Amino acid sequence: MVRVLHIFHNMGNGGIENFVMNYYRAIDRDKIQFDFLTSVEEEGYFDEEIKKMGGHIYHAYPKKKNPIKNYFSIAKVVRDKGYKIVHRHTGSAISNIDLLAAKHGGAEILISHSHATQAGKKWLHYLARIIFRVKTEEFACSKEAGRWLFGENDAENGKVQIIKNAINAEKYSYNSELRKKVREDHKIQDKFIVGHVGNFNEAKNHEFLIDVFYEIQKENDNAVLWLIGNGKFRQNIEEKVENLDIKNKVIFEGERENVNEFMQGFDILIFPSVYEAFPIVLIEAQCAGLKCYVSKEAIPQEIDITGNLDFVSLEKDALFWRNIIIEDIKKKMNRNDGYLCIKNAGFDIRDAAKDLERRYLTYAGQK
């Protein structure tokens, strides 16, 4: 069996972590086993599930307390446990230092996996690309994400390997009975439900999302906004909702494992992020047959697999977004299952996991 060590800063319930867990659940664990290393002391969201599937979880010395001790503790885990393949998931070249530590610990295959097109301070990212130079296998969720982490040349010459943000397509396939149940369970079966899935951070642009919904509900009194996720800006958004006096129309659902069920209950999804790479949420939403309104500046055009994405500029105001959405609502949009489109485009996790499995086995010299 080949054991692959995945390095994260922490293992929360974000998009990148869900990406890895999707692959972990689907991969042949008789051949490949995932272990995890984080640089925080606290337990992660998926720890219990990881342990049940046979994975180990390690905690390096907290990076915020002492980056030097963190470096050597990463190297120690790699050395003591004998890891040959280390897979670092990141949005910035700053994390190359973790791969240098893994190399110091004896790892032979270093995988740097880009999940972003922007992160933190750009100058630090570009400086880190120069200082923390290390030879890696270059993975990315999209060509643009590859360009951000590895540079224009590597993105254009085929050196960057695109690993698809795949999902359990069957799980997200549109189900009218489940839709009915979800809406009845939450006593909102007669409402027009605007949905959003994402943690409350700068990238997701919740402030603008609330502005758009505020305009929608003035035009459609039956509208309800359903927010799935948590994060550091949640309280700010709750306060904004209260100040706008729409508290009775906005549901803060928090983190949920059954996002697929909520997707069935939504009528549309609004996703006005200021930056993204290749958001897995939009693959899930399309599989569930949802019409999605997304930011033109942040969302790559190639993610529109079903034709159900409407790209709207963030330079336009909330009224402009509202008018587009209200016009579509008046047309009474049809809800069609997107399962086959997602699967045929290669985004079904069962197919994608086989591809990743093949890569790991090749690195391990077993194929």
Side-chain angles (χ1 to χ4, degrees):
M1 179 194 293
V2 176
R3 298 197 83 97
V4 179
L5 183 65
H6 291 267
I7 301 182
F8 287 84
H9 177 67
N10 58 42
M11 252 325 253
N13 188 23
I16 302 174
E17 294 85 353
N18 274 284
F19 160 86
V20 173
M21 292 304 294
N22 281 345
Y23 274 91
Y24 190 19
R25 295 176 191 118
I27 210 160
D28 185 345
R29 293 192 295 278
D30 289 331
K31 296 178 181 177
I32 307 286
Q33 182 55 252
F34 286 4
D35 297 325
F36 296 83
L37 174 63
T38 70
S39 291
V40 295
E41 293 170 319
E42 61 264 25
E43 289 189 0
Y45 184 86
F46 295 105
D47 281 14
E48 287 306 310
E49 184 181 0
I50 289 168
K51 290 172 186 175
K52 286 178 182 176
M53 290 193 289
H56 302 310
I57 303 162
Y58 307 103
H59 299 276
Y61 192 89
K63 190 172 284 188
K64 286 185 177 179
K65 289 186 178 180
N66 191 318
I68 296 173
K69 286 186 177 180
N70 172 264
Y71 177 95
F72 285 106
S73 64
I74 290 173
K76 186 176 188 303
V77 169
V78 173
R79 184 185 305 110
D80 290 353
K81 304 301 178 181
Y83 288 105
K84 298 304 178 187
I85 303 175
V86 175
H87 192 154
R88 179 59 163 104
H89 301 269
T90 185
S92 170
I94 295 169
S95 63
N96 278 356
I97 195 168
D98 295 344
L99 290 172
L100 285 169
K103 183 179 180 181
H104 189 138
E108 297 171 359
I109 303 294
L110 305 173
I111 302 170
S112 182
H113 195 149
S114 178
H115 294 272
T117 55
Q118 184 178 325
K121 297 176 180 176
K122 286 186 179 181
W123 69 269
L124 272 177
H125 164 73
Y126 291 123
L127 183 64
R129 271 200 348 209
I130 298 169
I131 296 174
F132 303 133
R133 294 181 69 87
V134 58
K135 184 180 179 182
T136 69
E137 296 296 324
E138 299 177 356
F139 284 11
C141 62
S142 69
K143 192 171 183 178
E144 196 59 41
R147 187 176 286 111
W148 161 254
L149 191 60
F150 307 114
E152 185 74 30
N153 288 340
D154 286 8
E156 293 301 326
N157 68 16
K159 190 175 179 182
V160 177
Q161 303 175 58
I162 303 300
I163 308 298
K164 291 187 175 179
N165 281 3
I167 64 169
N168 182 339
E170 197 171 274
K171 181 179 174 183
Y172 281 88
S173 178
Y174 179 57
N175 184 321
S176 59
E177 289 302 312
L178 183 55
R179 170 180 168 81
K180 182 180 178 183
K181 181 180 183 301
V182 168
R183 292 166 71 96
E184 286 177 349
D185 287 349
H186 290 81
K187 297 180 172 56
I188 49 176
Q189 57 265 45
D190 60 337
K191 300 294 184 181
F192 181 85
I193 302 176
V194 177
H196 182 273
V197 180
N199 287 328
F200 291 78
N201 56 39
E202 291 125 344
K204 299 305 179 190
N205 203 12
H206 280 85
E207 288 271 357
F208 185 68
L209 172 63
I210 297 302
D211 291 338
V212 174
F213 176 72
Y214 180 70
E215 298 298 337
I216 289 172
Q217 60 85 38
K218 286 197 293 186
E219 187 78 18
N220 183 344
D221 189 55
N222 206 36
V224 168
L225 176 61
W226 217 345
L227 300 174
I228 314 297
N230 269 328
K232 61 181 180 179
F233 293 141
R234 174 171 168 168
Q235 186 176 341
N236 295 5
I237 299 303
E238 288 178 342
E239 289 172 2
K240 177 167 184 165
V241 165
E242 193 157 356
N243 291 338
L244 289 172
D245 197 26
I246 53 172
K247 195 175 179 181
N248 63 326
K249 295 184 177 182
V250 181
I251 304 169
F252 290 85
E253 197 66 43
E255 290 183 335
R256 288 293 178 268
E257 292 182 0
N258 57 334
V259 171
N260 62 305
E261 296 181 11
F262 288 98
M263 289 271 190
Q264 306 299 327
F266 295 167
D267 288 297
I268 62 170
L269 184 133
I270 302 179
F271 206 75
S273 296
V274 292
Y275 61 88
E276 292 281 354
F278 203 94
I280 202 166
V281 166
L282 294 180
I283 303 297
E284 296 166 345
Q286 289 180 88
C287 193
L290 282 170
K291 177 73 175 181
C292 305
Y293 301 88
V294 306
S295 51
K296 183 179 180 180
E297 291 81 1
I299 307 302
Q301 291 281 337
E302 62 263 34
I303 204 170
D304 188 8
I305 298 162
T306 62
N308 268 353
L309 267 59
D310 199 335
F311 294 85
V312 189
S313 176
L314 290 174
E315 294 179 2
K316 303 295 185 180
D317 62 14
L319 272 172
F320 185 89
W321 281 62
R322 181 206 68 176
N323 290 341
I324 289 174
I325 294 166
I326 290 295
E327 281 304 308
D328 283 347
I329 293 172
K330 289 176 181 176
K331 295 174 189 173
K332 296 183 178 179
M333 298 172 287
N334 293 324
R335 183 77 171 261
N336 297 312
D337 187 12
Y339 170 79
L340 282 178
C341 286
I342 297 301
K343 181 173 175 56
N344 291 339
F347 286 91
D348 188 347
I349 193 63
R350 288 169 294 189
D351 300 325
K354 289 176 184 175
D355 178 62
L356 184 61
E357 179 185 303
R358 176 186 57 78
R359 294 171 197 262
Y360 285 143
L361 291 174
T362 300
Y363 294 144
Q366 295 188 15
K367 194 173 180 180

